[in-house]
Amino acid sequence: GSPSIAKNRQHAFRLLNDSERIMREVYKEFSESFSSFDYNEDGFNEYICQMEGYYAVIDPTGGMISELDVIRSSANYASSLSRIEKFDGFTDAYRRGIFVEHFLDQHDFANYKKNHFVENPVFSNSLFLEKKFNNKRNELYLENRQLYSSLKLPLVLRKNYTISSNSISVQYILKNDSPIDLKGIFVVELNLPQTFFDSKELKNQ
């Protein structure tokens, strides 16, 4: 969580992205692809988007984008570091990324808005299951079933990803599967990290 770590991470991603861009320019045989395999060897398949404008990884844990390398800017826009106790006073109960969801009651939402620790975030730290994967149409449908509150009310969240050459869109479907009405607050996080650290570069942006 220290600034030097974030700076070094972005510098490494910049070098890797520059290498990717050079390879594409030299060989001129790049073709877009959307594939599924165990990218980080955790036992679950990730979804890999190799597009004209970017490279992205969709992680089934949290159903989030855990890596988003924009080729033009040579930065990873999903490289947000989670808070850890040594630097921030507590450790996050979930990983940060792009399209991270929570379903919170009023008390947890009040703490969340104050940037305080949320002990049991619903959806954000659980495994999404694949309902449909079509690499011809560049579509991915994920589903997550969770129990909410002390009453153990069943909730279903569906995330439908559509991938194109220069964009990623997500459709959300949130369903109450319990026989009674429930009330809560649905939150979507788009965690974007700092990508420039040189004051001279900042002035030119």
Side-chain angles (χ1 to χ4, degrees):
S2 70
S4 61
I5 293 175
K7 181 177 180 179
N8 290 339
R9 282 168 61 89
Q10 283 299 337
H11 180 65
F13 280 117
R14 181 176 296 277
L15 295 176
L16 290 167
N17 279 310
D18 285 344
S19 299
E20 172 76 14
R21 179 177 48 78
I22 291 168
M23 291 290 288
R24 292 186 185 188
E25 291 173 355
V26 170
Y27 288 99
K28 299 179 180 178
E29 294 181 359
F30 171 78
S31 59
E32 295 185 337
S33 66
F34 187 32
S35 57
S36 172
F37 60 93
D38 191 358
Y39 174 80
N40 58 9
E41 299 183 351
D42 64 351
F44 303 103
N45 281 356
E46 285 76 35
Y47 304 90
I48 316 301
C49 314
Q50 292 180 288
M51 297 292 125
E52 185 68 34
Y54 62 91
Y55 175 93
V57 177
I58 301 172
D59 195 318
T61 302
M64 65 178 176
I65 297 175
S66 59
E67 184 167 343
L68 178 59
D69 300 316
V70 177
I71 304 301
R72 183 177 178 181
S73 62
S74 297
N76 178 5
Y77 288 93
S79 180
S80 292
L81 296 172
S82 297
R83 292 170 293 188
I84 57 178
E85 189 167 0
K86 181 178 179 181
F87 300 101
D88 306 299
F90 58 84
T91 299
D92 278 325
Y94 61 95
R95 288 170 50 212
R96 291 177 176 264
I98 300 175
F99 301 124
V100 179
E101 297 80 34
H102 311 285
F103 195 80
L104 307 170
D105 60 22
Q106 289 285 354
H107 177 265
D108 282 340
F109 184 59
N111 283 332
Y112 179 83
K113 286 194 297 182
K114 294 174 183 175
N115 215 23
H116 291 175
F117 177 69
V118 177
E119 185 173 357
N120 296 307
V122 177
F123 299 126
S124 57
N125 202 31
S126 54
L127 189 68
F128 279 74
L129 300 179
E130 179 187 304
K131 303 303 289 184
K132 176 183 175 183
F133 173 64
N134 188 326
N135 61 355
K136 299 285 193 298
R137 296 171 58 92
N138 289 348
E139 293 177 340
L140 170 64
Y141 294 178
L142 299 174
E143 183 179 274
N144 193 333
R145 294 178 175 270
Q146 294 293 312
L147 299 176
Y148 172 69
S149 83
S150 59
L151 297 176
K152 306 296 184 184
L153 303 175
L155 269 177
V156 181
L157 176 62
R158 297 189 180 101
K159 295 173 72 171
N160 300 337
Y161 279 93
T162 303
I163 312 300
S164 70
S165 295
N166 292 295
S167 68
I168 300 174
S169 63
V170 183
Q171 177 193 40
Y172 287 103
I173 301 170
L174 182 64
K175 182 183 178 185
N176 174 16
D177 257 2
S178 72
I180 62 174
D181 292 339
L182 64 84
K183 181 182 287 188
I185 299 167
F186 183 61
V187 178
V188 179
E189 285 187 19
L190 302 173
N191 295 299
L192 299 175
Q194 183 177 354
T195 57
F196 294 101
F197 299 88
D198 188 345
S199 58
K200 292 181 180 178
E201 288 185 350
L202 289 171
K203 289 179 181 178
N204 293 328
Q205 295 306 305

